[in-house]
Amino acid sequence: GAASSGGLVAYADSKSDDVLDKPQGPPKKKVVVLGTGWGGTTFLRNLDSKLYDVQVISPRNYFAFTPLLPSVTCGTVEPRSVVEPIRRILEKKGGDIKFWEAECFKIDSANKKIHCRSNIGTNLDGNGEFLVDYDYLVIAVGARSNTFNTPGVEENCHFLKEVEDAQKIRRSVMDCFERASLPYLNEEERKKNLHFVVVGGGPTGVEFAAELHDFVTEDLSKLYPSIQHLVKISLIEAADHILTMFDKRITEFAEDKFGRDGIDVKTGYKVVKVAKDAITMQNPATGDIAVPYGMAVWSTGIGTRPFISEFMKQIGQGNRRVLATDEWLRVLECDSVYAVGDCATINQRRVMDDIAEIFRVTDKDNSGTLTVKEIQDVLDDIYVRYPQVELYLKSRQMNGIADLVRTAKGDAEKESVELNIEEFKKALSLVDSQVKHLPATAQVASQQGQYLARCFNKMKDAEENPEGPIRIRGEGRHRFRPFRYRHLGQFAPLGGEQTAAQLPGDWISIGHSTQWLWYSVYATKQISWRTRALVISDWSRRFIFGRDSSC
Ligand code: FAD
Ligand code: MG
Ligand code: MG
Ligand code: MG
Ligand code: MG
């Protein structure tokens, strides 16, 4: 009747409005983002979503604040305080970004399609699979835990990667205490159940060991007074020291503190097998030793996801370990595909590979030699394109390029020096030693996500006004400056309200005040006011009432 025809009119009206409002032009390009972790979420938050037709695909419909996962393992922070629903993040942006809760299992870059599978529902074929087209693909799927094919790890160890992992660990710690309290166990069996083993002395393993130690001494010792003296925490590391990515002073402090706390730090031991009730480790001096344990957490590094390895083979990167991009985060040898975060690595171009080209571009007057002035003229471009040059000069305390030129020529000639190609090569022969791989951190992933969003936002502009350095190979300019990582420092929480921090410029700070810095940095970095409020209230609750041991 009247109601339905009214609806029809309204529909037709809105449709014609739509047509009138629409700017005449080609349809928006389709951007597909894989992953809702640090890289993907930061990209989405910074993307001008009006410019594109955006679709997000991830098996996880939330973002997880991973730096607080170790705190979730012992109930210092609740699981829901470290996650933010992706739909809430997308809704805040206002645009109509689509989200599909599914996993990508194949990238078909030849046809610009990705194959996805939902594991919460099936389609008419009964398999939950679907195809998505893209114009641009942003891969931000992170990495998987790496067992290095050590037997028994998959079956018997916990990982600490996802929120579910942290919850399982929490449950398992409590189970060990309850099991060790049962009336029919002998002392030996109680000890075994209360032996907690952490494999991997990196930041995550160390933080978990510290967190567990605090949980045991501050909270569980009161609830399990008769067995608390049987608890043992071991931290196993194959290298000679723990926290090797940090300054020596932090490593030493951490090893000393763990020693005083009674955490058994076993450096130089490699775990070779994990059975149901014993972990076998190896050391050249002692040979194999098998140690009974109650619970083990495996935290020794990351590897490439199988579907990414498949994709790498498909595009001719099969001989690499990690998906490689150029400095603009474009996947090498693959059109319109970008990758950020833990799933990828930047293949920084070497100066020595391009040295003849660099020489040619620099030698403006084609004299066959370079003056200091000629080099100076293109130096900014060289610094942007090859950041290792600037790092090298800094590391040698050289005062700009003139110093380098003089060093290459020897001290005799001080005035108006010119370099030929051989001398230029010699002068720059060591700069590539400063090329470093970026660490697999949230800091890197989020800076990359932000950078890439900025490029996408300016894609049109930059075609007319390129901002990048002169192209060394071929003519013209790059449209964008390459990605440049800014290291803001790194924390290592060590338990007992003490944290170590290594800030830029080798500024080291360790202790209780650094723990407060840690609290304030991580409160600030929260993705929303909601999670910020939850995290701060979790911390306060813990200070007043201790950690919750029921779960
Ligand atoms: P992730 O954040 O792992 O995101 C990957 C996303 O891809 C997820 O949403 C996942 O569900 C999704 N995905 C997976 N497979 C598929 C698929 N097939 N299709 C579609 N989507 C898929 N870094 C720091 O800088 N500071 C810290 O203090 C710190 N602490 C950490 C503590 C722990 C316990 C852990 C595990 C990591 C920590 N990190 C820290 C490292 C940091 O979390 C990672 O470097 C960061 O998460 C990498 O971001 P990403 O976007 O590459 O991957
Ligand atoms: Mg991501
Ligand atoms: Mg994440
Ligand atoms: Mg990376
Ligand atoms: Mg010249």
Side-chain angles (χ1 to χ4, degrees):
S4 76
S5 74
L8 207 67
V9 171
Y11 177 69
D13 272 350
S14 72
K15 188 129 195 208
S16 60
D17 273 358
D18 221 34
V19 172
L20 285 179
D21 283 351
K22 247 200 192 121
Q24 302 300 309
K28 291 180 189 172
K29 294 259 200 247
K30 290 197 188 89
V31 175
V32 172
V33 181
L34 300 181
T36 53
W38 278 100
T41 303
T42 317
F43 174 80
L44 289 163
R45 291 178 84 199
N46 288 281
L47 183 71
D48 182 350
S49 50
K50 288 191 296 296
L51 300 176
Y52 298 98
D53 172 5
V54 188
Q55 301 181 60
V56 186
I57 296 154
S58 174
R60 216 172 68 186
N61 71 350
Y62 56 82
F63 164 81
F65 193 88
T66 49
L68 289 180
L69 282 186
S71 310
V72 173
T73 58
C74 297
T76 310
V77 169
E78 290 299 324
R80 70 193 157 87
S81 309
V82 303
V83 304
E84 182 74 4
I86 191 70
R87 287 184 185 277
R88 203 191 295 250
I89 295 169
L90 298 179
E91 180 226 89
K92 269 190 207 144
K93 291 192 60 81
D96 63 330
I97 299 179
K98 293 177 201 77
F99 172 77
W100 320 118
E101 185 174 310
E103 180 178 40
C104 166
F105 65 93
K106 187 179 170 205
I107 300 170
D108 177 359
S109 58
N111 299 304
K112 293 198 162 185
K113 279 182 201 316
I114 60 164
H115 296 245
C116 303
R117 187 184 296 126
S118 150
N119 40 30
I120 47 171
T122 54
N123 58 16
L124 290 177
D125 297 339
N127 58 15
E129 290 178 8
F130 56 100
L131 281 172
V132 177
D133 295 317
Y134 66 83
D135 293 307
Y136 301 113
L137 178 64
V138 177
I139 307 178
V141 295
R144 60 173 176 85
S145 303
N146 200 344
T147 66
F148 304 99
N149 296 322
T150 313
V153 173
E154 207 77 59
E155 301 87 328
N156 300 306
C157 292
H158 288 275
F159 297 110
L160 180 46
K161 199 88 183 69
E162 304 288 337
V163 181
E164 289 90 343
D165 297 333
Q167 286 171 294
K168 276 190 213 145
I169 290 174
R170 184 175 175 182
R171 175 81 252 173
S172 175
V173 169
M174 296 322 303
D175 283 350
C176 286
F177 273 86
E178 290 302 348
R179 214 177 301 125
S181 308
L182 289 171
Y184 50 79
L185 293 193
N186 63 32
E187 175 113 342
E188 198 72 11
E189 288 163 327
R190 289 189 216 286
K191 261 192 181 158
K192 167 186 172 294
N193 272 297
L194 293 173
H195 185 204
F196 300 95
V197 178
V198 184
V199 185
T204 303
V206 165
E207 185 176 352
F208 170 66
E211 185 78 29
L212 182 62
H213 174 262
D214 283 1
F215 187 30
V216 169
T217 51
E218 291 165 17
D219 304 283
L220 297 179
S221 59
K222 294 182 202 120
L223 303 178
Y224 301 87
S226 62
I227 53 169
Q228 55 125 334
H229 63 287
L230 300 175
V231 177
K232 182 176 171 189
I233 301 172
S234 301
L235 178 64
I236 303 169
E237 165 59 52
D240 293 339
H241 290 283
I242 59 171
L243 296 180
T244 46
M245 62 294 293
F246 282 90
D247 189 276
K248 242 189 22 237
R249 285 166 282 176
I250 292 182
T251 299
E252 264 166 31
F253 182 89
E255 287 174 356
D256 286 351
K257 178 171 188 305
F258 277 12
R260 285 195 305 276
D261 288 346
I263 297 174
D264 186 13
V265 179
K266 280 194 146 41
T267 54
Y269 279 89
K270 191 176 163 221
V271 171
V272 290
K273 191 178 129 198
V274 184
K276 199 165 174 297
D277 43 23
I279 285 193
T280 308
M281 49 187 134
Q282 215 170 51
N283 171 296
T286 60
D288 282 9
I289 48 174
V291 192
Y293 72 99
M295 190 195 92
V297 172
W298 186 268
S299 161
T300 65
I302 55 175
T304 301
R305 293 190 189 280
F307 88 103
I308 295 290
S309 304
E310 262 324 295
F311 171 58
M312 289 166 67
K313 275 188 213 143
Q314 187 193 311
I315 59 173
Q317 288 199 20
N319 55 344
R320 293 178 185 272
R321 276 196 311 118
V322 187
L323 183 65
T325 70
D326 65 12
E327 300 88 332
W328 288 267
L329 311 183
R330 301 176 294 197
V331 171
L332 293 183
E333 317 296 342
C334 189
D335 202 30
S336 309
V337 181
Y338 302 77
V340 298
D342 286 3
C343 66
T345 185
I346 295 175
N347 187 40
Q348 173 64 51
R349 277 207 74 88
R350 314 259 150 178
V351 168
M352 278 306 127
D353 292 346
D354 295 344
I355 193 86
E357 299 271 346
I358 299 173
F359 189 89
R360 191 184 58 75
V361 173
T362 309
D363 186 17
K364 279 259 169 52
D365 61 2
N366 281 320
S367 64
T369 55
L370 306 182
T371 62
V372 171
K373 176 159 186 321
E374 274 177 324
I375 302 177
Q376 219 112 44
D377 284 346
V378 295
L379 199 56
D380 280 340
D381 278 344
I382 292 182
Y383 281 173
V384 171
R385 188 68 188 82
Y386 307 93
Q388 63 263 45
V389 175
E390 195 173 10
L391 291 174
Y392 176 78
L393 294 181
K394 235 185 234 158
S395 76
R396 290 295 165 102
Q397 271 134 27
M398 282 189 181
N399 220 339
I401 209 76
D403 268 8
L404 189 71
V405 171
R406 283 196 197 104
T407 316
K409 287 294 254 191
D411 272 342
E413 294 170 79
K414 283 229 159 58
E415 302 301 312
S416 68
V417 285
E418 295 194 16
L419 297 185
N420 63 29
I421 176 90
E422 285 314 314
E423 289 161 334
F424 189 57
K425 261 190 200 164
K426 194 177 136 222
L428 294 175
S429 61
L430 294 173
V431 296
D432 290 326
S433 63
Q434 295 293 321
V435 172
K436 289 188 184 76
H437 283 293
L438 297 178
T441 62
Q443 227 178 104
V444 170
S446 64
Q447 287 183 25
Q448 290 183 336
Q450 188 172 21
Y451 164 86
L452 196 60
R454 198 180 134 256
C455 294
F456 271 68
N457 294 346
K458 303 208 305 189
M459 198 100 80
K460 254 227 186 85
D461 267 9
E463 246 151 53
E464 285 128 43
N465 301 303
E467 57 180 46
I470 288 172
R471 218 180 273 221
I472 300 296
R473 302 173 161 265
E475 301 310 318
R477 272 181 165 264
H478 278 287
R479 285 192 280 165
F480 299 104
R481 297 182 140 243
F483 171 72
R484 194 112 196 251
Y485 173 57
R486 280 183 52 233
H487 185 61
L488 303 173
Q490 200 178 0
F491 287 107
L494 299 172
E497 294 296 304
Q498 297 201 59
T499 286
Q502 184 167 344
L503 301 167
D506 270 339
W507 199 74
I508 304 286
S509 123
I510 306 174
H512 295 284
S513 55
T514 317
Q515 177 76 30
W516 285 99
L517 182 64
W518 183 91
Y519 282 126
S520 67
V521 166
Y522 281 126
T524 315
K525 291 219 158 144
Q526 289 303 310
I527 197 158
S528 72
W529 283 99
R530 189 190 64 91
T531 55
R532 190 169 300 133
L534 288 174
V535 162
I536 292 172
S537 97
D538 286 347
W539 285 335
S540 321
R541 178 182 40 76
R542 205 274 287 168
F543 271 115
I544 302 167
F545 302 109
R547 297 170 184 83
D548 192 356
S549 61
S550 63
C551 63

